[in-house]
Amino acid sequence: MSPVGATDATHDPALESWVPSANAPGDFPLQNLPFGVFRRKGTSEEFRGGVAIGDQVLDLAALAARTPFTGPAAAGLALAAQPSLNALMGAGAAPRRALRVALSQALRRGAPLAAAADCLLVPQAHAELDMPARVGDFTDFYASIHHATAVGRLFRPDNPLLPNYKWIPIAYHGRASSIRVSGVDFPRPRGQLKPAGDAPPVLGATQRLDYELELGVYVGAGSIPGAAVPLREAEDHLFGMCLLNDWSARDVQAWEYQPLGPFLAKNFATTVSPWVVTLEALAPFRTALRRPDGEPAPLPYLDGPENRSGAFDIGLEVWLETATMRRAGRPAVRLSHSSFADSWWTAAQMLTHHSVNGCKLRPGDLLGTGTQSGPAPQEAGSLLELTRGGREPLELGDGESRTFLEDGDRVILRGGCERPGVRHIGFGEASATVLPALPA
Ligand code: MN
């Protein structure tokens, strides 16, 4: 098997598919092949695995019924066709990689499978996408030092970064039950709000609702309870990545977070994109893990030669469509952009640290990377940072502005990878609309 991170024939930028839309510019060319779970919209069909190709979904259950592959690729296809991807995730890297190679060949221009296109393809516009996996546990990290510093500065101007930051991949345990796939809207949450001064807290709808621009990382093969995953093996336990919006109620957060960290400010909604881009698809976009000179090296269990080239250059964007924009037929506006390459910690370091105490990781567990803010102020991945704690409203054009989100706002995360000589791949989008708070 080729090592993790190696590129192969599936990344050849010259490859074209017999699915015509896959050859046009877009997120889902033949070089990507992200996995998801879908059924035809408006039906009560069982959900099953699919692969995004151009503007279509390749139906993996229909494909499996034709028994087109043998060996590990056939085993991978049988797992990928199921109503959730947990079994494929749990099987580890070998069947997933074999399936990728087989799918790349089967979808290539001139492949005989093209004759069966009508039975195998569903237009994405006619597909309902579900959560790709049953998420057992959700852990949200804090891996962008630029985000940690900017947020810390709002609370502690003289001492923005806490002393543990450069040593520990900081995280909190989130709530898996509130993770929903893109397109599922949610009401503005209520919670305890603390007025300034001596006034007691009140229960009310949050007035400082924010988004967080993150990536999600799905755990593949699980770990053994009591046994840490060495860093050099960590990527064998990672399945792939998605976009993740960790919606946050900043006023609730400010009152509740001490001493135990985030609780109800974070667990009312988390939105993920439906397509999971595998580590194999991301291989051409690996890059050096950048640490400025003079910064401490990680402890040995979090350091190694593979990890020093284990960052991924994934461009991330936040877009906002207000109700006014929708009514006026105006397009969404981009609020900021950043890159996962600026993260202080890699996904592999997050997984290894998570297991260092013997904590068991299971297939389909989700690790959030934390808000990915870049070094420049306009690269901030949350409104908290962009508006400096709500003090400097963000102008949206046509007289609209925001400090925090209003009812009717739709936040859209997008992401993708660019590199000269390599075919662009993308993540699609993760979006949801803020609905008015439910009556008390
Ligand atoms: Mn977060």
Side-chain angles (χ1 to χ4, degrees):
M1 194 196 308
S2 60
V4 172
T7 56
D8 57 31
T10 66
H11 304 99
D12 180 351
L15 287 184
E16 294 207 321
S17 173
W18 52 260
V19 180
S21 57
N23 305 322
D27 280 353
F28 307 121
L30 184 54
Q31 291 80 356
N32 192 348
L33 302 175
F35 291 100
V37 161
F38 84 105
R39 66 181 172 191
R40 284 182 300 151
K41 217 181 256 181
T43 73
S44 55
E45 292 172 352
E46 194 170 14
F47 283 99
R48 64 267 190 188
V51 162
I53 179 79
D55 61 6
Q56 306 288 310
V57 182
L58 175 68
D59 183 337
L60 294 180
L63 181 64
R66 306 174 69 89
T67 59
F69 308 144
T70 57
L77 179 58
L79 300 174
Q82 295 183 12
S84 88
L85 298 177
N86 292 72
L88 179 66
M89 292 169 169
R96 181 179 78 234
R97 290 179 194 159
L99 179 57
R100 173 180 169 85
V101 171
L103 288 171
S104 174
Q105 290 166 353
L107 287 167
R108 221 164 274 185
R109 194 190 286 283
L113 201 66
D118 288 348
C119 330
L120 297 175
L121 297 181
V122 174
Q124 284 177 32
H126 300 166
E128 174 190 355
L129 288 144
D130 198 6
M131 276 296 291
R134 295 182 310 275
V135 177
D137 280 296
F138 170 45
T139 305
D140 198 24
F141 282 83
Y142 201 49
S144 163
I145 196 169
H146 307 295
H147 172 70
T149 304
V151 171
R153 190 173 287 127
L154 292 171
F155 296 103
R156 299 175 302 275
D158 301 329
N159 179 29
L161 202 64
L162 293 169
N164 57 9
Y165 188 85
K166 292 176 180 175
W167 301 97
I168 300 176
I170 298 287
Y172 66 93
H173 282 119
R175 182 92 190 152
S177 64
S178 299
I179 304 173
R180 308 299 294 274
V181 74
S182 180
V184 179
D185 303 333
F186 63 92
R188 175 179 297 272
R190 298 158 60 77
Q192 279 202 22
L193 315 173
K194 175 70 174 72
D198 294 334
V202 295
L203 179 66
T206 176
Q207 301 302 302
R208 289 163 72 91
L209 183 61
D210 201 353
Y211 59 79
E212 290 192 337
L213 172 62
E214 305 194 17
L215 284 159
V217 187
Y218 283 98
V219 173
S223 68
I224 298 163
V229 176
L231 187 63
R232 65 178 179 279
E233 295 172 18
E235 288 192 352
D236 287 332
H237 292 263
L238 300 177
F239 178 83
M241 304 182 80
C242 65
L243 303 166
L244 186 150
N245 186 344
D246 177 27
W247 303 90
S248 299
R250 301 300 184 193
D251 38 11
V252 177
Q253 185 178 0
W255 172 233
E256 77 173 6
Y257 87 103
Q258 288 176 315
L260 288 185
F263 181 32
L264 300 178
K266 297 277 195 174
N267 69 6
F268 55 92
T270 304
T271 302
V272 292
S273 57
W275 296 111
V276 186
V277 177
T278 62
L279 239 55
E280 288 71 45
L282 292 168
F285 308 99
R286 294 179 79 88
T287 187
L289 179 61
R290 296 194 289 258
R291 290 277 169 95
D293 288 344
E295 296 291 359
L299 291 181
Y301 80 99
L302 290 175
D303 199 6
E306 307 89 348
N307 194 67
R308 287 179 211 134
S309 61
F312 289 94
D313 192 359
I314 300 172
L316 300 168
E317 300 181 331
V318 185
W319 295 69
L320 175 63
E321 179 193 76
T322 68
T324 302
M325 292 174 190
R326 252 191 322 277
R327 275 195 301 272
R330 282 190 282 122
V333 295
R334 194 174 79 168
L335 300 185
S336 72
H337 64 97
S338 64
S339 171
F340 187 46
D342 287 317
S343 178
W344 188 258
W345 301 107
T346 65
Q349 286 172 317
M350 294 179 216
L351 183 125
T352 286
H353 181 67
H354 204 316
S355 74
V356 74
N357 65 345
C359 172
K360 177 176 171 57
L361 300 173
R362 292 178 296 191
D365 284 355
L366 189 60
L367 313 180
T369 60
T371 308
Q372 291 299 311
S373 299
Q378 67 272 20
E379 294 175 313
S382 69
L383 285 174
L384 182 71
E385 296 158 84
L386 283 176
T387 69
R388 298 185 198 277
R391 288 193 291 273
E392 297 177 14
L394 200 61
E395 299 301 327
L396 303 176
D398 279 328
E400 275 201 288
S401 68
R402 286 290 180 277
T403 49
F404 291 97
L405 297 170
E406 297 189 3
D407 293 349
D409 283 355
R410 178 171 171 252
V411 176
I412 306 142
L413 307 187
R414 295 186 180 136
C417 305
E418 309 280 350
R419 181 162 282 189
V422 180
R423 189 75 154 85
H424 161 87
I425 63 170
F427 284 71
E429 66 176 46
S431 74
T433 302
V434 179
L435 304 175
L438 298 175

